[in-house]
Amino acid sequence: MPERTPCIAANWKMHKTVAEAAQFVDALLPRIAATQNDVVICPSFLALSEVVERSRGNAVRVAAQNMHEEVSGAFTGEVSAAMLGEVGVDAVVLGHSERRRLFCETDEALARKVPAALAAGLEPILCVGETEEARDAGQTEAVLERQLQTDLAAVDPAGLARVVVAYEPIWAIGTGRTASPGQAQKAIAFIRDTLRILGAEADRARILYGGSVKPGNAVELMAQPDVDGALVGGASLDPGDFAAIVEAAG
Ligand code: PEP
């Protein structure tokens, strides 16, 4: 079984000014100096350059929270993958449920964004997950399968190996309700099987859990065999809490 380096990503959403981002990085770096894990910070677009500069030479990588699929053009308010790469961004979160729900992000758009990110040398962190209604109706696996099949339709096996998937059940995001370790493991094992069917070298694919991860529940969640790390929202805003989650990942 190949080793998969745990990945812990901080999704700051629309939090932290540039000055606050700088303070956070300065407080975080000494706390995670010994980690062997892959640590990713996803600030607002405006704070990307600051976080890139402050974390240069350290273990931290930087991701944007969204991008447009075209290289350039008349798309007011949008940012391209090439623009992100130019300022030193390594990765990009795509398909977060808040973007799907509040900003009409569709699976069809994601099917264009994922290959565009890969073509520009960015690592896509693709979010998938079911609503509470879908889970209650026994539709969790059907939702995950449909999202993965559509969002990754135009990605070849070499590209699939570079995609990180984040399983983020919508009912657990920002609600304080966490999937149980068993629920997270089951869904993530299903995602791994689906990636294998899509042609990925699935044993190497990193699949994260996201949804109210905190220092107090991180150890148990990340002890699950298929859970390769976490995408953390609320608890990533505090450097101490985030560092504790990085440490919990082993
Ligand atoms: C997220 O925004 O991806 C997330 C998981 O948020 P929270 O940890 O606050 O639930």
Side-chain angles (χ1 to χ4, degrees):
M1 186 73 68
E3 281 290 307
R4 297 186 295 262
T5 303
C7 175
I8 315 299
N11 176 20
W12 286 350
K13 314 189 187 201
M14 200 175 72
H15 293 288
K16 295 200 188 290
T17 63
V18 176
E20 289 165 347
Q23 277 174 8
F24 178 100
V25 175
D26 291 351
L28 178 72
L29 291 179
R31 291 175 154 97
I32 60 162
T35 191
Q36 299 294 311
N37 295 336
D38 185 15
V39 180
V40 181
I41 297 180
C42 318
S44 77
F45 286 124
L46 287 175
L48 285 169
S49 292
E50 182 70 27
V51 177
V52 166
E53 291 308 320
R54 294 242 165 200
S55 37
R56 209 177 279 288
N58 288 283
V60 169
R61 296 190 304 131
V62 183
Q65 299 175 17
N66 183 33
M67 55 164 249
H68 195 273
E69 66 267 29
E70 295 293 337
V71 174
S72 62
F75 303 105
T76 301
E78 294 288 331
V79 170
S80 74
M83 293 169 182
L84 297 174
E86 186 191 28
V87 297
V89 168
D90 306 288
V92 59
V93 176
L94 294 174
H96 191 280
S97 64
E98 286 154 14
R99 295 220 57 87
R100 292 178 187 259
R101 183 169 52 88
L102 301 172
F103 302 102
C104 306
E105 179 91 287
T106 63
D107 286 306
E108 290 66 32
L110 291 164
R112 296 188 293 273
K113 289 187 178 194
V114 178
L118 289 167
L122 299 180
E123 176 182 84
I125 302 173
L126 174 66
C127 301
V128 295
E130 80 286 1
T131 60
E132 185 160 30
E133 294 70 39
R135 175 163 282 270
D136 290 347
Q139 292 295 305
T140 298
E141 293 187 352
V143 169
L144 297 175
E145 187 173 37
R146 179 176 44 71
Q147 290 175 330
L148 291 166
Q149 279 176 349
T150 312
D151 301 353
L152 299 173
V155 181
D156 62 18
L160 285 175
R162 292 161 54 208
V163 176
V164 174
V165 177
Y167 168 59
E168 296 218 309
I170 294 168
W171 48 271
I173 297 177
T175 59
R177 291 173 60 198
T178 314
S180 69
Q183 286 172 323
Q185 166 59 26
K186 186 163 182 255
I188 289 178
F190 176 79
I191 290 170
R192 198 175 301 288
D193 287 344
T194 306
L195 291 176
R196 190 172 290 113
I197 292 164
L198 292 175
E201 207 182 329
D203 287 341
R204 291 191 186 280
R206 288 191 298 174
I207 311 175
L208 318 182
Y209 167 76
S212 299
V213 175
K214 308 257 183 286
N217 59 26
V219 172
E220 223 191 333
L221 283 161
M222 283 179 260
Q224 301 304 307
D226 281 289
V227 178
D228 301 322
L231 181 54
V232 187
S236 76
L237 296 173
D238 178 85
D241 284 352
F242 186 61
I245 295 170
V246 171
E247 200 178 321

